[in-house]
Amino acid sequence: MNSRRIHDLASLGAKVLFKNFCKSRTYFHVSTRQLQVILLKVALLVGVKVHSATGFQSIVPPAPEQNGGNPFYSIKTEPQIPVVEYTAVLGATGINDQVAEPAGINRVVFSQKESLGIVCYFPNLETPEEMKVKEFSWTTQFKHRMLYRMREVGVDLENIVYFRGEMHYIVMTPKRQNLLARGVVKQNSPTSKDLVESTNISQNGLHAFVKRVVEFAGIPRRTDFTRVNLFDFSSLTRAEKPASILTSHDKKLYVGLIGDSLLEPVWHEGVGTCRGFLGALDSVWVVAQIARKSDEQLLADRELAYRVMQRVSGHHRDDLQKNVRKYTVEPRSRYVVDFPRLL
């Protein structure tokens, strides 16, 4: 997570809600749990209505009242929440979102290179030994010497990241042949998806592999692993467009995507949360402009912001304004681009 998002969260009161928020002197990072709790608490404080244990099922278009329908756009959920009129629906549930297809938003694959990942974490008891360990990010892209030394103990990785918070968190990208050689996977399946099927993974081999990494990195482990998981993220997708406007019976519904629903991140680039925040702010701005701007202008503005957001990376931030303290939901406060006015 970069300084812009840390500033966003701090301005929302993150350090009040979590006294140890982002205390690392090495990296800006926040756990998924902390991020979710911070945003949920802030949402509740400003009056957002949250329906827990409720699943979105579909968008319900307007229907004639004489046929038992509602003359406006609504949503179907399980269990069903009170039926009201919606002017906008935003999907933020990852690649399996259910709002893209009915809105005519297709997904395209933009990365097909085999990429395997292992994630593991275990509780940080905050002992003196644990707190002495430095967080790190090693990558072959920059020819980090520790990855070469790791090969001497039988572990061959493309990248590895270690963060410390409430948990010791490690995520790494192993190579297929190394997983086979170390007995982590049983068969050399032709596809990466089949390779990481649960029936093809040796849990003993996987845990032994991770233990070797933890020991090499010098991370004291006082408890069992909370989670160890081998996964495939070879096929990354993005939405062809960020939003659409549905029209039926003289009613309109703005449908937009944010987060991984909009653009799956390459996790080791470290820009997933940044893009998520930018996409959320862009979507909120567009929703606020409904009925103030034409439909065409709304979609054009959102499309331009989406194109700019896709270019943001760990090494390319030229399209972003430098003064993060002036960032607002208004896209021009964040992007160094002109938003043309449609005639």
Side-chain angles (χ1 to χ4, degrees):
M1 181 178 291
N2 63 31
S3 60
R4 294 173 173 84
R5 305 292 73 78
I6 295 298
H7 174 75
D8 287 340
L9 290 170
S11 66
L12 290 173
K15 292 187 177 182
V16 176
L17 300 173
F18 284 97
K19 65 178 182 179
N20 292 326
F21 173 75
C22 206
K23 288 186 68 175
S24 171
R25 297 180 180 179
T26 310
Y27 296 99
F28 292 131
H29 65 85
V30 59
S31 69
T32 301
R33 174 184 171 275
Q34 279 191 354
L35 180 60
Q36 290 173 336
V37 171
I38 290 169
L39 296 177
L40 176 60
K41 286 186 175 182
V42 172
L44 292 172
L45 286 171
V46 298
V48 174
K49 183 177 289 186
V50 176
H51 297 277
S52 61
T54 301
F56 173 88
Q57 292 193 324
S58 63
I59 294 171
V60 181
E65 291 184 88
Q66 58 266 32
N67 295 337
N70 295 304
F72 48 74
Y73 278 100
S74 60
I75 62 172
K76 182 180 179 181
T77 64
E78 179 56 44
Q80 183 62 51
I81 62 176
V83 176
V84 296
E85 181 174 5
Y86 285 81
T87 55
V89 172
L90 302 178
T93 56
I95 61 173
N96 297 317
D97 74 273
Q98 296 169 283
V99 303
E101 185 176 349
I105 302 175
N106 298 318
R107 302 193 68 82
V108 296
V109 176
F110 69 91
S111 176
Q112 201 67 56
K113 177 185 176 182
E114 178 167 276
S115 300
L116 305 172
I118 294 177
V119 62
C120 81
Y121 49 84
F122 51 95
N124 175 15
L125 303 183
E126 299 188 4
T127 63
E129 292 78 15
E130 289 174 286
M131 302 308 287
K132 288 179 182 178
V133 181
K134 292 184 178 180
E135 297 169 303
F136 59 80
S137 176
W138 304 336
T139 174
T140 54
Q141 181 181 358
F142 300 112
K143 300 180 179 179
H144 201 286
R145 59 183 177 83
M146 295 302 288
L147 290 177
Y148 294 104
R149 288 182 56 188
M150 194 174 282
R151 291 174 188 168
E152 297 173 4
V153 298
V155 176
D156 194 4
L157 304 176
E158 292 281 353
N159 309 278
I160 179 171
V161 174
Y162 164 62
F163 292 145
R164 185 180 65 245
E166 295 175 311
M167 294 277 180
H168 294 283
Y169 175 85
I170 306 170
V171 62
M172 64 198 90
T173 51
K175 296 179 181 179
R176 172 189 283 256
Q177 291 304 319
N178 193 222
L179 294 178
L180 287 163
R182 303 303 310 180
V184 176
V185 292
K186 302 172 185 176
Q187 301 291 331
N188 190 13
S189 301
T191 67
S192 52
K193 181 179 179 181
D194 291 336
L195 187 74
V196 301
E197 279 289 332
S198 58
T199 54
N200 195 45
I201 297 174
S202 165
Q203 290 299 322
N204 289 336
L206 177 59
H207 278 71
F209 186 91
V210 172
K211 287 178 183 177
R212 188 178 293 257
V213 172
V214 171
E215 290 171 1
F216 176 87
I219 305 169
R221 185 166 64 92
R222 302 286 184 255
T223 65
D224 292 334
F225 291 118
T226 303
R227 181 188 181 195
V228 177
N229 186 40
L230 172 63
F231 60 95
D232 167 45
F233 64 104
S234 303
S235 181
L236 298 178
T237 63
R238 63 173 176 81
E240 284 188 320
K241 57 183 179 180
S244 180
I245 295 178
L246 302 179
T247 304
S248 179
H249 292 79
D250 296 324
K251 291 290 185 177
K252 296 180 180 180
L253 179 72
Y254 174 88
V255 180
L257 301 178
I258 56 179
D260 291 2
S261 295
L262 181 62
L263 175 65
E264 282 191 272
V266 180
W267 65 263
H268 53 77
E269 288 185 355
V271 294
T273 303
C274 176
R275 287 174 174 169
F277 269 69
L278 291 173
L281 292 171
D282 294 335
S283 296
V284 168
W285 173 254
V286 171
V287 171
Q289 303 308 304
I290 292 176
R292 297 181 181 181
K293 295 182 178 181
S294 68
D295 295 348
E296 294 77 14
Q297 187 70 61
L298 289 175
L299 295 177
D301 288 350
R302 185 67 190 92
E303 176 65 29
L304 178 56
Y306 180 38
R307 292 204 303 268
V308 174
M309 187 196 75
Q310 289 183 68
R311 295 198 294 266
V312 174
S313 70
H315 308 289
H316 181 85
R317 301 179 187 272
D318 297 342
D319 295 321
L320 295 179
Q321 299 281 2
K322 298 189 183 303
N323 191 346
V324 299
R325 296 184 181 278
K326 292 186 177 181
Y327 279 20
T328 68
V329 293
E330 213 282 330
R332 290 179 179 82
S333 72
R334 293 175 279 116
Y335 302 129
V336 189
V337 294
D338 292 325
F339 285 81
R341 186 178 183 84
L342 299 181
L343 299 178

